mmCIF file of all heavy atoms in Angstrom:
data_model
loop_
_atom_site.group_PDB
_atom_site.id
_atom_site.type_symbol
_atom_site.label_atom_id
_atom_site.label_comp_id
_atom_site.label_asym_id
_atom_site.label_seq_id
_atom_site.Cartn_x
_atom_site.Cartn_y
_atom_site.Cartn_z
ATOM 1 N N ALA T 34 47.266 -16.928 -20.943
ATOM 2 C CA ALA T 34 47.411 -18.201 -20.240
ATOM 3 C C ALA T 34 47.680 -17.968 -18.752
ATOM 4 O O ALA T 34 47.116 -18.650 -17.892
ATOM 5 C CB ALA T 34 48.527 -19.023 -20.859
ATOM 6 N N LEU T 37 44.417 -16.850 -17.029
ATOM 7 C CA LEU T 37 43.484 -17.966 -16.872
ATOM 8 C C LEU T 37 43.975 -18.941 -15.800
ATOM 9 O O LEU T 37 43.189 -19.411 -14.968
ATOM 10 C CB LEU T 37 43.294 -18.700 -18.207
ATOM 11 C CG LEU T 37 42.289 -19.848 -18.169
ATOM 12 C CD1 LEU T 37 40.883 -19.309 -17.878
ATOM 13 C CD2 LEU T 37 42.293 -20.602 -19.473
ATOM 14 N N LEU T 111 42.912 -17.836 -26.876
ATOM 15 C CA LEU T 111 43.114 -19.218 -26.427
ATOM 16 C C LEU T 111 41.928 -20.087 -26.826
ATOM 17 O O LEU T 111 40.774 -19.689 -26.656
ATOM 18 C CB LEU T 111 43.281 -19.273 -24.905
ATOM 19 C CG LEU T 111 44.475 -18.545 -24.300
ATOM 20 C CD1 LEU T 111 44.458 -18.688 -22.785
ATOM 21 C CD2 LEU T 111 45.781 -19.055 -24.862
ATOM 22 N N GLY T 112 42.223 -21.278 -27.296
ATOM 23 C CA GLY T 112 41.171 -22.222 -27.645
ATOM 24 C C GLY T 112 40.700 -23.000 -26.424
ATOM 25 O O GLY T 112 41.322 -22.973 -25.354
ATOM 26 N N THR T 113 39.613 -23.721 -26.584
ATOM 27 C CA THR T 113 39.025 -24.482 -25.488
ATOM 28 C C THR T 113 39.970 -25.552 -24.965
ATOM 29 O O THR T 113 40.102 -25.729 -23.748
ATOM 30 C CB THR T 113 37.702 -25.120 -25.938
ATOM 31 O OG1 THR T 113 36.834 -24.076 -26.407
ATOM 32 C CG2 THR T 113 37.026 -25.857 -24.808
ATOM 33 N N HIS T 114 40.646 -26.251 -25.863
ATOM 34 C CA HIS T 114 41.550 -27.322 -25.428
ATOM 35 C C HIS T 114 42.715 -26.780 -24.614
ATOM 36 O O HIS T 114 43.121 -27.378 -23.612
ATOM 37 C CB HIS T 114 42.070 -28.127 -26.626
ATOM 38 C CG HIS T 114 41.007 -28.894 -27.324
ATOM 39 N ND1 HIS T 114 40.427 -30.005 -26.780
ATOM 40 C CD2 HIS T 114 40.379 -28.688 -28.503
ATOM 41 C CE1 HIS T 114 39.500 -30.469 -27.601
ATOM 42 N NE2 HIS T 114 39.447 -29.681 -28.654
ATOM 43 N N VAL T 115 43.239 -25.639 -25.013
ATOM 44 C CA VAL T 115 44.332 -25.007 -24.263
ATOM 45 C C VAL T 115 43.828 -24.615 -22.876
ATOM 46 O O VAL T 115 44.510 -24.836 -21.864
ATOM 47 C CB VAL T 115 44.884 -23.787 -25.029
ATOM 48 C CG1 VAL T 115 45.880 -23.016 -24.181
ATOM 49 C CG2 VAL T 115 45.515 -24.221 -26.340
ATOM 50 N N CYS T 116 42.626 -24.054 -22.820
ATOM 51 C CA CYS T 116 42.039 -23.644 -21.533
ATOM 52 C C CYS T 116 41.841 -24.847 -20.616
ATOM 53 O O CYS T 116 42.070 -24.764 -19.409
ATOM 54 C CB CYS T 116 40.717 -22.931 -21.757
ATOM 55 S SG CYS T 116 40.923 -21.339 -22.542
ATOM 56 N N GLN T 117 41.410 -25.966 -21.181
ATOM 57 C CA GLN T 117 41.227 -27.172 -20.374
ATOM 58 C C GLN T 117 42.560 -27.660 -19.813
ATOM 59 O O GLN T 117 42.649 -28.072 -18.658
ATOM 60 C CB GLN T 117 40.549 -28.267 -21.200
ATOM 61 C CG GLN T 117 39.084 -27.975 -21.470
ATOM 62 C CD GLN T 117 38.461 -28.983 -22.419
ATOM 63 O OE1 GLN T 117 39.154 -29.701 -23.145
ATOM 64 N NE2 GLN T 117 37.145 -29.025 -22.421
ATOM 65 N N LYS T 118 43.608 -27.612 -20.619
ATOM 66 C CA LYS T 118 44.932 -28.040 -20.149
ATOM 67 C C LYS T 118 45.453 -27.118 -19.055
ATOM 68 O O LYS T 118 46.031 -27.567 -18.064
ATOM 69 C CB LYS T 118 45.938 -28.083 -21.310
ATOM 70 C CG LYS T 118 45.721 -29.216 -22.266
ATOM 71 C CD LYS T 118 45.947 -30.542 -21.572
ATOM 72 C CE LYS T 118 45.771 -31.689 -22.531
ATOM 73 N NZ LYS T 118 45.871 -32.978 -21.855
ATOM 74 N N ILE T 119 45.244 -25.822 -19.226
ATOM 75 C CA ILE T 119 45.669 -24.859 -18.207
ATOM 76 C C ILE T 119 44.904 -25.107 -16.912
ATOM 77 O O ILE T 119 45.478 -25.098 -15.821
ATOM 78 C CB ILE T 119 45.467 -23.416 -18.716
ATOM 79 C CG1 ILE T 119 46.461 -23.123 -19.847
ATOM 80 C CG2 ILE T 119 45.614 -22.404 -17.584
ATOM 81 C CD1 ILE T 119 46.190 -21.837 -20.599
ATOM 82 N N SER T 120 43.602 -25.358 -17.020
ATOM 83 C CA SER T 120 42.767 -25.636 -15.846
ATOM 84 C C SER T 120 43.224 -26.906 -15.138
ATOM 85 O O SER T 120 43.288 -26.957 -13.907
ATOM 86 C CB SER T 120 41.301 -25.779 -16.267
ATOM 87 O OG SER T 120 40.845 -24.628 -16.918
#
Side-chain angles (χ1 to χ4, degrees):
L37 183 65
L111 298 179
T113 303
H114 294 288
V115 172
C116 291
Q117 288 173 342
K118 288 295 182 185
I119 291 169
S120 302

